[in-house]
Amino acid sequence: METTIFYILIFIIGTLFGSFSTLAVYRLPLHKDITHERSFCPKCNHKLSFWDMIPILSYILLGGKCRYCKEKIRIRYLLLEIFTGLVFLLFAVSLNINLIHIEISKLVYLIFGILYISGLIIIAGIDKENKKISKGVLAYEIVVLSMYMIYLYIVEKANIYRYVIYLFVILILLLIDTIKLKRLKIDSYLIQIIILCIVQAVFTYSYGFVITTIMVLFTISIEIVIRKIFRKDKEYLAKLPIAYYLCITNIVSIIIINMLACRILIF
């Protein structure tokens, strides 16, 4: 019973994060505040009340329309809330947490994993819509990763020197992105993709990133074939949201690896 309540709570938390992600995906590319300004309808600009922002339920009860101007709300908001709730739930289930004999290390990994996955979802959403990576969210992911490394070093007594080197490389790339490329007015999308790859490789370890890479290549190959056959778009390669595929496949690989690890430990 306690476990069921715990998983329901995780799903609800996921939908709340999903609701925030829809706001972040919409506002960050427009350079709008995501923490202090209340949510509003983009059509009539009416401030939304608490009852308008309950994840999933508000969309269903309002019939997918704004309460005030009756403008249709994009279904992607509902889908992102459901998706994030399910991802959080599957992530928690993959850790096989026993609430009776709870392991602190698993609980800490769950918390950092949720924070990390939340950032990936926002990056994926923005890249899908704009083919752009938010530097703020990327910096957030680096902070989460750094805090997790500090925990591993202090509490778990883990050897993190290799990861410190990764962080040093990330800092160098960030400096190049901020100073050199901005001065030369060069698109920094590729540099940010490399930084994202390093962050994923550190958080999910080498085997996790290998699985992510294989899944990304497979997924992109399928999309390229589909676009070439049906859309005949000559610039489809330039339009591919690489970060979107990296984030989604990395989330899937994390859950798969955790489930396989738990099964190996059981048997």
Side-chain angles (χ1 to χ4, degrees), residues 102-226:
I102 193 165
E103 299 176 45
I104 299 300
S105 59
K106 278 190 177 183
L107 186 61
V108 171
Y109 180 66
L110 173 66
I111 294 171
F112 278 106
I114 283 175
L115 295 175
Y116 171 73
I117 289 172
S118 299
L120 291 184
I121 291 173
I122 295 174
I123 290 174
I126 293 175
D127 193 54
K128 178 68 174 172
E129 293 287 320
N130 305 279
K131 199 179 182 296
K132 178 181 180 182
I133 298 176
S134 169
K135 290 184 180 179
V137 184
L138 194 57
Y140 159 82
E141 290 287 71
I142 296 170
V143 170
V144 170
L145 178 63
S146 302
M147 291 174 61
Y148 185 57
M149 287 171 56
I150 292 171
Y151 161 78
L152 290 176
Y153 180 72
I154 296 176
V155 180
E156 301 290 335
K157 307 300 181 184
N159 187 344
I160 62 169
Y161 296 111
R162 179 163 58 100
Y163 303 129
V164 171
I165 294 174
Y166 286 147
L167 281 179
F168 182 71
V169 173
I170 289 174
L171 288 176
I172 292 175
L173 291 173
L174 284 174
L175 285 174
I176 294 173
D177 180 29
T178 304
I179 300 173
K180 191 70 175 177
L181 297 184
K182 184 175 288 187
R183 185 183 300 170
L184 298 175
K185 296 182 179 180
I186 299 174
D187 185 14
S188 59
Y189 187 73
L190 179 59
I191 293 290
Q192 292 168 3
I193 286 292
I194 295 172
I195 294 173
L196 179 61
C197 287
I198 296 174
V199 170
Q200 291 183 349
V202 175
F203 196 88
T204 59
Y205 305 104
S206 302
Y207 44 84
F209 186 66
V210 168
I211 294 175
T212 298
T213 303
I214 293 172
M215 293 173 68
V216 166
L217 293 175
F218 179 73
T219 306
I220 289 178
S221 299
I222 293 175
E223 175 154 348
I224 288 175
V225 171
I226 292 174

